[in-house]
Amino acid sequence: MLRLTDIVGHATDADIAERLHQMEHDGVVERIHLSRRDLSRRRQRVTTDRGTEVALMLDRSSGLDNGAVLLLEPARAVLVVLDEPQWLVLGATSAAGALEAGYFAGNMHWKVRFDGERLWVLLEGPRDDYLKRLSHLLARGHAQVIDAPPAPAAGVRYLAVPHAH
Amino acid sequence: MSAQLNPHARPRGAARVGIGGPVGSGKTALLEQLIPRFMARGTDIAVITNDLVTAEDAERVRRSGLIAPERVLAVETGACPHTAIREDPTLNLAAADELDRAYPGLELILIESGGDNLASSFSLDLVDYWLFVIDVAGGDDIPRKRGLGVLQCDLLVINKVDLAPHVRVNLDRMVSEAHEVRLGRPTLLTNCAHGDGVDAVVERIAQEVLFDR
Ligand SMILES: Nc1nc2c(ncn2[C@@H]2O[C@H](COP(=O)(O)OP(=O)(O)OP(=O)(O)O)[C@@H](O)[C@H]2O)c(=O)[nH]1
Ligand SMILES: [Mg+2]
């Protein structure tokens, strides 16, 4: 088991990018694919795409992000890759429908982002589960699923949904 | 050898493991079963409990004699126990930092949340790994109800299995439905009154976050 404790750089740092590019040819770059959720863990057991077991134990004050490099040695590099999240994109057919959909998503503690007249819901489980939960809104036509949405504008923020109880 | 590849590299500070679940499901009972087992395997351990307006659970663990009383800290959460473990875990983070400072060799902090409902969950800013304890006597349809805690926890513990025959609960069905809604993530069965099944919980926590072997 490889024990990794530090973030040594970022795949986009110019000199690191160059080294990774070289090493890629020798097949010694290993990637750890993480969901957005697992990205926020400081300590976890993970496996790289080449099957190396890794005990990841970072300082409480540090945080992983997409491209974080955990090891950069002549013979091996390990970096973290964010498994891109899946979204369910909803549109509303009326202001009333939009209010209801927004209220409902908040009540469910779903992570959402607002994109003009669309509500993007981050799927943290099977898409069907979310559709089932939304069935009352969908059946009444208050909301609709937008199947092939355009990519969202850059810089759309995640919103933590506040709640009162 | 580089520091990076040091096979003996130790984490800085203790692993933090959350124990959540509905009121009365057996969170403190599980704590009381876990503490001596971790101590027996040589794990340096401390505890944080969360209660609404008292330090009831902390007092109970301190009195148990299982662990030095000063290693048990209490957080009072007020009326909203899940806020203290999810939206604003400041108090729990401060308590955990305090334990890390007080006990330099500390390896594991177990954090019991205040009893809540099926939707409570832990922030991963606070814990590295979290358990959700449900109770057989709550009914075998609990997993099917897809509460956030049941769905998202790293390890689901179905406790009070000894009560299954008395409350006409089909344990097999409960387990298979838990497996289904959790997409195969682990579920373990315990009887925390006697300790049955608790060794497997210890094993799982050690495997996922202790890295001490
Ligand atoms: N029969 C049986 N009783 C249990 C078991 N585990 C816990 N209990 C009992 O269930 C009751 C509640 O247990 P606790 O450990 O206090 O539950 P808790 O989840 O910590 O409760 P809160 O912190 O108040 O939410 C106590 O009377 C325990 O003795 C078990 O496995 N079997
Ligand atoms: Mg308790």
Side-chain angles (χ1 to χ4, degrees), chain B residues 23-29 57 60 112 115 159-160 162 191-193:
Chain B
V23 177
S25 63
K27 298 177 291 297
T28 309
D57 279 0
R60 174 170 151 198
E112 180 189 344
N159 186 36
K160 308 194 190 179
D162 54 305
N191 167 352
C192 289

Side-chain angles (χ1 to χ4, degrees), chain B residues 52-112:
Chain B
L52 300 182
V53 287
T54 63
E56 186 76 26
D57 279 0
E59 285 309 328
R60 174 170 151 198
V61 176
R62 285 180 187 136
R63 274 196 314 266
S64 71
L66 297 168
I67 184 169
E70 62 274 16
R71 284 175 176 255
V72 182
L73 297 187
V75 167
E76 279 182 32
T77 62
C80 197
H82 60 242
T83 300
I85 58 165
R86 189 178 59 213
E87 286 84 359
D88 179 14
T90 320
L91 289 175
N92 275 297
L93 281 167
D97 289 347
E98 186 180 328
L99 287 168
D100 267 335
R101 271 193 306 274
Y103 304 101
L106 197 63
E107 292 170 289
L108 176 63
I109 301 173
L110 296 173
I111 305 175
E112 180 189 344

Side-chain angles (χ1 to χ4, degrees), chain A residues 131-151:
Chain A
L131 292 176
K132 236 178 264 170
R133 290 291 192 162
L134 285 162
S135 56
H136 61 296
L137 287 172
L138 298 173
R140 278 187 272 126
H142 286 186
Q144 62 197 35
V145 175
I146 295 167
D147 273 329

Side-chain angles (χ1 to χ4, degrees), chain A residues 7 24 33 42 49 54 59 62 77 87 91 109 115 128 130 165:
Chain A
I7 297 170
E24 203 83 71
H33 290 268
R42 311 301 196 295
D49 57 356
V54 174
D59 263 0
S62 66
W87 300 91
H109 301 307
D115 174 27
D128 273 354
Y130 286 75
H165 64 90

